[in-house]
């Protein structure tokens, strides 16, 4: 089982719809979770972090965390063509005495007008 | 501008050459990282330094040698470059603490011919 799993997509949604991106992880004791957005040819940009069970909202973005199910998701409301990018889920895991981020392979989102 | 910066942005070289990539952050962070993103866009940690001390050294060929002259700089030297080293290399930094929120530089696209 991969440590952090995401559906590679592409996830295609119409402009104005809600895009739902999902991520599962293997380490039960992980405590911090991140969503990064990566446009083609650019670097990953941190857009959301979540540390507690439940929802965290920031503008059009909502991150949801369920530690019991080892599941984290990102909802993008009122999707825009500019949201088209690859979204990387990252989970902080404690290994060898240190924290390190383990990334999923990313979900490609395409928002069409 | 407060940021993580890398040079060069592009690096094209022949097999067998030695090359270096430089990274600097002015965010005041204590920890810096090198990541490799391959052609399948999978982002994998290579090394991490905390206050100039190497703390993470993933399974990376010893042709790769990181160096941190101070906590704001982390360089990556690669000896005897191979075709398989072609990838995008990202530097990142994070503040102290357990959450491990990381911020990425713009990346260096290395092409080995």
């Amino acid at each position: 089982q991969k440590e952090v799993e995401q559906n590679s997509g592409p996830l295609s949604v119409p402009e104005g719809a809600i895009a739902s991106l999902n991520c599962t992880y293997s380490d039960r004791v992980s405590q911090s979770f991140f969503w990064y957005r990566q446009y083609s040819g650019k670097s990953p940009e941190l857009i959301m972090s979540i540390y507690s069970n439940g929802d965290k909202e920031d503008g059009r973005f909502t991150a949801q965390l369920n530690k019991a199910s080892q599941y984290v998701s990102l909802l993008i409301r009122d999707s825009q063509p500019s949201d088209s990018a690859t979204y990387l889920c990252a989970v902080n895991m404690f290994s060898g005495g240190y924290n390190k981020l383990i990334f999923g392979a990313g979900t490609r989102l395409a928002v069409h007008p | 501008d407060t940021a993580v910066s890398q040079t060069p942005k592009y690096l094209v070289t022949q097999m067998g050459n030695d090359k270096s990539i430089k990274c600097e952050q002015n965010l005041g962070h204590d920890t810096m990282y090198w990541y490799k993103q391959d052609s399948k866009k999978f982002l994998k940690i290579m090394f991490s330094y905390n206050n100039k001390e190497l703390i993470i050294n993933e399974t990376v060929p010893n042709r790769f040698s990181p160096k941190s002259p101070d906590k704001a700089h982390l360089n990556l030297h690669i000896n005897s470059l191979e075709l398989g080293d072609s990838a995008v290399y990202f530097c990142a930094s994070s503040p102290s603490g357990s959450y491990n929120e990381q911020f990425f530089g713009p990346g260096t696209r290395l092409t080995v011919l």
Side-chain angles (χ1 to χ4, degrees):
Chain A
Q1 182 194 2
K2 290 181 186 168
E3 293 176 292
V4 179
E5 293 204 61
Q6 296 180 253
N7 187 322
S8 61
L11 173 65
S12 183
V13 301
E15 185 173 355
I18 296 176
S20 177
L21 304 156
N22 304 315
C23 173
T24 57
Y25 60 94
S26 60
D27 187 355
R28 288 192 165 276
V29 301
S30 292
Q31 295 295 319
S32 47
F33 307 85
F34 307 94
W35 284 99
Y36 287 81
R37 178 176 62 199
Q38 187 173 24
Y39 292 113
S40 181
K42 300 294 186 183
S43 60
E45 175 193 5
L46 180 63
I47 56 171
M48 286 292 282
S49 53
I50 187 166
Y51 312 119
S52 306
N53 276 331
D55 294 2
K56 179 182 176 184
E57 190 173 315
D58 183 359
R60 294 186 297 111
F61 298 103
T62 299
Q64 298 175 316
L65 175 61
N66 183 326
K67 290 184 183 178
S69 301
Q70 294 172 242
Y71 177 91
V72 58
S73 65
L74 179 71
L75 300 178
I76 306 174
R77 286 183 300 284
D78 187 25
S79 294
Q80 301 297 308
S82 58
D83 295 326
S84 299
T86 296
Y87 289 81
L88 303 171
C89 172
V91 177
N92 189 36
M93 297 190 183
F94 191 73
S95 172
Y98 295 100
N99 289 305
K100 58 181 179 180
L101 282 191
I102 305 298
F103 284 82
T107 298
R108 192 156 59 90
L109 173 66
V111 181
H112 52 87
Chain B
D1 278 345
T2 53
V4 181
S5 59
Q6 289 179 235
T7 54
K9 192 167 170 62
Y10 299 97
L11 194 48
V12 181
T13 188
Q14 299 286 331
M15 267 198 318
N17 283 351
D18 303 339
K19 290 293 178 188
S20 293
I21 308 171
K22 294 187 175 184
C23 178
E24 177 180 0
Q25 55 94 6
N26 61 7
L27 298 165
H29 292 168
D30 293 322
T31 309
M32 296 183 73
Y33 311 81
W34 279 113
Y35 285 86
K36 179 180 180 181
Q37 189 170 46
D38 58 27
S39 56
K40 293 192 168 124
K41 306 301 183 190
F42 189 61
L43 194 60
K44 192 163 174 11
I45 189 165
M46 300 171 69
F47 302 103
S48 175
Y49 273 75
N50 180 267
N51 279 318
K52 303 194 295 176
E53 180 190 345
L54 179 67
I55 58 171
I56 295 175
N57 185 348
E58 294 291 287
T59 308
V60 176
N62 57 15
R63 297 181 296 103
F64 290 79
S65 51
K67 277 198 173 57
S68 181
D70 56 61
K71 74 173 194 178
H73 295 84
L74 179 62
N75 304 323
L76 183 65
H77 187 76
I78 316 170
N79 288 325
S80 303
L81 279 154
E82 300 178 356
L83 292 176
D85 298 332
S86 295
V88 182
Y89 293 84
F90 288 104
C91 177
S93 70
S94 67
S96 296
S98 60
Y99 291 133
N100 205 10
E101 198 172 68
Q102 296 183 17
F103 299 88
F104 283 77
T108 296
R109 181 174 293 277
L110 171 65
T111 303
V112 183
L113 303 174

